[in-house]
Amino acid sequence: MIKSTANINPLENEAIYIFREVAAQFEKPVLLFSGGKDSITLVRLAQKAFYPAKIPFPLMHIDTGHNFPETIAFRDKLVAELDLKLIVRHVQDSIDEGKVKEESGRYASRNQLQTTTLLDAIEEFKFDACIGGARRDEEKARAKERIFSVRDDFGQWDEKNQRPELFDMLNGQIELGQNVRVFPISNWTELDVWSYIEKEHIEIPSIYFAHTRATFLRDGLIWSADDAVVFRDEDEIVENRLVRFRTIGDMSCTAAVLSSAATITKVVKEIRESTISERGARIDDKRSEAAMEKRKQQGYF
């Protein structure tokens, strides 16, 4: 059941408008769903946009095979509760087919390998609009993108050749083979998302809240040692720490932060006082100064 809110929220209204524009302008949209807070927020916004009807497009998860178990369990629970269609495509299949090569070593990750699996899935289902939870405040490459961001017939993004977006006019016209990435919460901040989750009483995975976890330190970051995915040197000591995750991606590139915030109210307070970006705990963004931009040019979300 969707709870109504008494106060007008301009960001919510903008996101709902964008969802409705997607439904009006495109034939085969899909919502890219990771099980993280941003994509969960998108699901709530899509519910509101089309209520009392069901969300009129499927969810799709590109599964690296190295996801946090809490995230996958939450994904399946949400999809079942809302009776949504879920499409899952696996990075492991792309590896097995020889389309991508598994990385090795202490900084190995499957995060970058998702691009090939994603582009293959878009082509398989002929999706013309892929909705995602990227926000401009996350990272400077994402700050460059439009709300309707066109990808060419190879799935690539040209950051120097983007359409103007005047006022609230969204141009969904595309050529054969092109598709559009859509960002309904592009103008939100991390604090906006958390405040919305608090106000709407949205359930999120427990991994976002403080919990005791077996971890080890590397490069000043806290890594989970609860699995066999993250490479760990013999001299990297495992200790139990009270941590939570601010952002959720592939386990091999997503670090935790020390935190005692065990409720949404405390998380909001913590985010409000933080001076560090949530992407500061994502090692995949640190591979080079332009790491995210290069991945996006190649088709990464």
Side-chain angles (χ1 to χ4, degrees), residues 35-94:
K37 69 182 185 309
D38 297 311
S39 57
I40 293 168
T41 297
L42 287 182
V43 170
R44 171 58 59 86
L45 291 165
Q47 283 184 280
K48 288 196 170 190
F50 303 109
Y51 184 83
K54 287 175 56 177
I55 297 174
F57 37 74
L59 275 55
M60 182 165 73
H61 182 208
I62 303 302
D63 187 348
T64 66
H66 293 169
N67 296 282
F68 290 98
E70 297 98 322
T71 308
I72 298 299
F74 184 90
R75 178 200 71 185
D76 294 342
K77 176 175 176 286
L78 181 68
V79 168
E81 287 179 351
L82 300 183
D83 190 25
L84 300 175
K85 179 180 179 181
L86 174 68
I87 298 167
V88 181
R89 287 298 177 267
H90 301 274
V91 170
Q92 184 63 54
D93 292 338
S94 298

Side-chain angles (χ1 to χ4, degrees), residues 264-299:
I264 289 187
T265 300
K266 290 181 179 179
V267 168
V268 170
K269 182 177 185 294
E270 183 180 273
I271 296 301
R272 195 181 300 277
E273 296 172 353
S274 176
T275 59
I276 302 173
S277 165
E278 64 184 303
R279 300 287 300 192
R282 291 291 291 270
I283 196 66
D284 50 327
D285 290 351
K286 303 178 187 297
R287 292 192 174 198
S288 73
E289 181 68 19
M292 173 64 81
E293 186 160 318
K294 289 180 180 179
R295 293 204 304 278
K296 291 179 76 64
Q297 289 168 348
Q298 296 164 356

Side-chain angles (χ1 to χ4, degrees), residues 52-288:
K54 287 175 56 177
I55 297 174
F57 37 74
L59 275 55
M60 182 165 73
H61 182 208
I62 303 302
D63 187 348
T64 66
H66 293 169
N67 296 282
F68 290 98
E70 297 98 322
T71 308
I72 298 299
F74 184 90
R75 178 200 71 185
D76 294 342
K77 176 175 176 286
L78 181 68
V79 168
E81 287 179 351
L82 300 183
D83 190 25
L84 300 175
K85 179 180 179 181
L86 174 68
I87 298 167
V88 181
R89 287 298 177 267
H90 301 274
V91 170
Q92 184 63 54
D93 292 338
S94 298
I95 295 171
D96 293 343
E97 293 166 7
K99 294 180 177 179
V100 293
K101 184 178 180 180
E102 183 91 77
E103 296 181 357
S104 60
R106 72 195 316 243
Y107 295 111
S109 172
R110 288 188 174 184
N111 206 49
Q112 191 166 347
L113 306 185
Q114 293 179 86
T115 299
T116 296
T117 312
L118 171 62
L119 295 179
D120 284 349
I122 292 172
E123 175 63 24
E124 176 186 354
F125 293 98
K126 306 299 181 187
F127 291 127
D128 53 3
C130 299
I131 306 161
R135 308 186 322 270
R136 289 183 174 132
D137 76 317
E138 288 182 280
E139 203 274 341
K140 57 189 177 183
R142 286 182 165 167
K144 296 180 181 180
E145 284 213 87
R146 303 296 190 257
I147 290 174
F148 275 16
S149 185
V150 179
R151 299 301 199 268
D152 66 19
D153 51 359
F154 295 102
Q156 298 178 332
W157 174 61
D158 183 357
E159 77 285 359
K160 296 179 181 178
N161 183 24
Q162 298 190 75
R163 296 173 177 176
E165 285 183 346
L166 305 176
F167 307 103
D168 61 352
M169 293 185 292
L170 301 173
N171 181 3
Q173 293 187 2
I174 54 176
E175 303 294 334
L176 183 65
Q178 292 181 330
N179 64 80
V180 171
R181 306 292 172 85
V182 180
F183 305 108
I185 60 173
S186 183
N187 292 326
W188 296 40
T189 65
E190 181 188 13
L191 182 58
D192 289 329
V193 172
W194 277 107
S195 297
Y196 190 73
I197 288 170
E198 180 182 31
K199 182 179 180 181
E200 292 286 316
H201 307 286
I202 299 173
E203 185 181 358
I204 57 173
S206 60
I207 195 169
Y208 278 114
F209 301 111
H211 58 286
T212 300
R213 198 177 193 93
T215 61
F216 65 94
L217 298 179
R218 175 189 298 154
D219 300 331
L221 298 175
I222 303 170
W223 298 96
S224 173
D226 278 345
D227 54 77
V229 170
V230 183
F231 180 92
R232 180 167 56 85
D233 288 323
E234 292 183 0
D235 60 347
E236 293 175 322
I237 301 171
V238 175
E239 295 181 5
N240 286 329
R241 293 179 172 89
L242 187 63
V243 300
R244 72 178 194 85
F245 290 83
R246 282 180 68 180
T247 178
I248 296 177
D250 188 286
M251 283 188 287
S252 58
C253 67
T254 307
V257 295
L258 292 173
S259 175
S260 60
T263 66
I264 289 187
T265 300
K266 290 181 179 179
V267 168
V268 170
K269 182 177 185 294
E270 183 180 273
I271 296 301
R272 195 181 300 277
E273 296 172 353
S274 176
T275 59
I276 302 173
S277 165
E278 64 184 303
R279 300 287 300 192
R282 291 291 291 270
I283 196 66
D284 50 327
D285 290 351
K286 303 178 187 297
R287 292 192 174 198
S288 73

